[in-house]
Amino acid sequence: MNSIIQEFLILSKPHEANLKIHNIRGLAHEVILLFQSEAHYRNVDIKYSYDEDLLPVMCEGNALKQVFINLMKNSLEAMPAGGQIRFHINNGNGKVVIAIEDDGMGMPEHILKDAGKPFFTTKDDGTGLGLMISERIIHQHKGALSITSHVNSGTRIEITLPAAHMESV
């Protein structure tokens, strides 16, 4: 119940975005460190890579960390027998592209089309709000989130965010 209430508060609380210049590499690294112990416990290997010359992004750091937390949690839960999560960040056409890919169970098309809808979940203890919140945060940052998934071969989530204008750096 507490989890549902917390997620509702995130959705309902209007707030002024506190945008600052960030290198996504640092934000992602903090989240990966947060998940290392649980990943090790679940026999999941997290591979993290990034372009050395990543462009900065104008964003609210804690909001993007929340997105990464939601997606990493989903990936871990999709691999009950272990596997690998690949977290890669690179530059692409004036944008920063974040890809989180897992070796999990994947989702059939009929589930994939409902992913991100409020209260839609395949988990016994899920609220169905995590992906919806993540999508909302990415759209508030003028980015895009896409999901591709194949049953028994995993899921890939790709987030594209506009790079900060260099004159604002």
Side-chain angles (χ1 to χ4, degrees), residues 36-101:
Q36 286 292 4
S37 293
E38 185 176 355
H40 181 72
Y41 176 75
R42 291 176 179 250
N43 198 30
V44 172
D45 185 30
I46 301 173
K47 298 289 187 193
Y48 177 48
S49 60
Y50 51 85
D51 285 356
E52 286 295 327
D53 61 343
L54 278 176
L55 296 170
V57 173
M58 180 72 76
C59 67
E60 187 171 353
N62 286 336
L64 282 188
K65 283 196 276 189
Q66 183 63 55
V67 170
F68 298 157
I69 287 168
N70 290 346
L71 300 178
M72 290 288 289
K73 186 173 182 280
N74 287 348
S75 287
L76 280 173
E77 292 173 354
M79 296 184 289
Q84 187 179 85
I85 297 173
R86 291 163 300 285
F87 197 121
H88 181 71
I89 310 171
N90 66 293
N91 297 321
N93 295 326
K95 299 183 183 299
V96 175
V97 180
I98 302 117
I100 302 172
E101 194 170 3

